[in-house]
Amino acid sequence: MTETVAVIEGDGVGREVVPVAVDVLDAVGEFSFVHAEAGDAVAERTGDPLPSATYETVADADATLFGAAGETAADVILPLREAVGSFVNVRPARAYPGVDALRPETDVVFLRENTEGVYSGHEDRLSDDLSTLTRVTTTSASERLAEFAVEFAPEGFHIAHKANVMRETDGRFRDAVQRVADAHDVATEEVLMDAFATRLPLDPASFDVVVCPNLAGDVLSDLAAGLVGGLGLLPSANIGPENALFEPVHGTAPDIAGEGIANPAATVLSAAMLLEHLGYDEDGTRVREAVESVLADGPRTPDLGGDASTGGVGDAILGRL
Ligand code: ATP
Ligand code: MG
């Protein structure tokens, strides 16, 4: 392994949890790490939350591990997703043994379209009374997501949408995803996104992989996060054709930042996704199992009812490896 991994700690607890994940990557592989800055701290110093050197480091790397950015998050993460050409955000939400979850049987992966929908950026103020938003749906982006989905979930997946109301945009999305799935003989089941919001908490075991437009994926995956016991556990991947960026779902956690008690699990699990993305499936599995075993037996950080530090949990994960 000689791949280059860009590392951006960012702000808040990003500075505490990312070093743990880097130690884990270092323990299982031989990566060349390139550290870069982004977020509030560098913005205060230089006026720019995302220096061009950081953008280029990420674009040139084989993969990026990102922590979190504070106030400047939108100025950082949206361009960085673009730097890796990301078209899908992969968000697994899974309850782990030993963690107090509202719905322990939850094990769902969201494949969220990452470039368009209502996050297209096309908003207009037409008068003092009226603002509009243009919802963008392309067949090409929907098909690209679907091509990823059929490989990710050959055993089938749900498509969450609201094509009964947004007939043109979500209709196009649904039809494109369906067409690609049919061409690959992959089974799909449609679910209206509002009905999904009811069915998921009532019967999480009935869902496995869910393909969603951008906003639906954002909201529904956060709903799933609530079912599995907290933000400290959820990893995510922004995947592009030749590059990818991995980050915990949580943000800077300003209420606990600097105390050394942030749970590093979400970021270490993001590193496991990074390993798998680079083709090191066995190492990814090893890391995930090490995290699972520490979650089950402790030590645990305070968010999970324990009294261990970030470093204490990190050392335990490294010990299991
Ligand atoms: P931001 O604007 O950066 O997202 P936030 O105030 O929304 O900041 P989050 O990082 O989203 O904060 O966290 C929400 C809650 O979850 C906070 O109470 C935080 O302490 C907790 N939390 C988030 N990440 C972790 C973690 N890694 N370990 C423990 N608790 C966490
Ligand atoms: Mg937040």
Side-chain angles (χ1 to χ4, degrees):
M1 298 181 195
T2 49
E3 285 91 344
T4 300
V5 175
V7 177
I8 302 174
E9 295 178 359
D11 303 312
V13 296
R15 295 170 178 277
E16 298 160 48
V17 294
V18 169
V20 173
V22 170
D23 285 348
V24 166
L25 287 175
D26 216 16
V28 299
E30 280 174 32
F31 297 105
S32 153
F33 296 105
V34 184
H35 291 264
E37 286 189 296
D40 294 0
V42 66
E44 268 160 40
R45 248 189 20 254
T46 68
D48 186 359
L50 184 61
S52 58
T54 297
Y55 186 95
E56 275 151 34
T57 297
V58 169
D60 291 345
D62 294 298
T64 293
L65 187 65
F66 177 77
E71 303 278 307
T72 55
D75 301 317
V76 171
I77 195 64
L78 297 180
L80 285 183
R81 284 179 183 156
E82 182 201 293
V84 299
S86 173
F87 59 87
V88 55
N89 187 211
V90 182
R91 290 187 166 200
R94 211 179 128 196
Y96 294 95
V99 174
D100 190 21
L102 222 45
R103 278 302 206 172
E105 61 277 58
T106 308
D107 188 357
V108 191
V109 181
F110 291 86
L111 303 180
R112 167 189 169 195
E113 201 286 321
N114 213 8
T115 61
E116 51 187 33
V118 294
Y119 292 171
S120 62
H122 301 299
E123 282 198 297
D124 291 295
R125 174 182 292 250
L126 299 185
S127 76
D128 284 347
D129 186 49
L130 174 66
S131 295
T132 59
L133 161 69
T134 304
R135 185 169 203 260
V136 175
T137 303
T138 63
T139 299
S140 50
S142 308
E143 285 178 349
R144 206 166 41 171
L145 173 65
E147 299 282 356
F148 183 88
V150 295
E151 272 197 31
F152 188 91
E155 65 293 342
F157 54 82
H158 281 84
I159 311 172
H161 63 76
K162 190 79 180 166
N164 57 334
V165 177
M166 296 180 280
R167 277 175 261 179
E168 186 53 47
T169 48
D170 263 11
R172 180 185 290 274
F173 177 83
R174 188 236 0 241
D175 293 348
V177 173
Q178 192 80 68
R179 211 163 38 239
V180 171
D182 289 348
H184 289 81
D185 271 327
V186 171
T188 59
E189 198 179 316
E190 292 181 43
V191 58
L192 293 175
M193 60 173 82
D194 47 352
F196 178 86
T198 306
R199 274 178 62 193
L200 183 70
L202 289 177
D203 187 14
S206 65
F207 297 102
D208 189 9
V209 175
V210 187
V211 172
C212 313
N214 205 342
L215 172 66
D218 193 8
V219 175
L220 297 174
S221 64
D222 269 28
L223 170 67
L227 301 179
V228 301
L231 279 172
L233 297 174
L234 291 180
S236 82
N238 298 283
I239 309 280
E242 279 151 32
N243 202 340
L245 179 145
F246 301 82
E247 55 172 333
V249 168
H250 67 74
T252 58
D255 51 334
I256 58 166
E259 291 179 36
I261 54 165
N263 189 344
T267 311
V268 176
L269 291 168
S270 302
M273 293 178 85
L274 183 153
L275 287 165
E276 283 162 1
H277 179 74
L278 292 179
Y280 304 113
D281 289 3
E282 280 175 26
D283 296 308
T285 303
R286 266 177 74 208
V287 168
R288 184 168 298 116
E289 285 172 357
V291 172
E292 280 171 23
S293 127
V294 171
L295 289 173
D297 304 334
R300 301 194 187 95
T301 42
D303 55 306
L304 300 180
D307 58 8
S309 65
T310 306
V313 172
D315 288 344
I317 294 170
L318 287 167
R320 298 296 205 288
L321 284 170

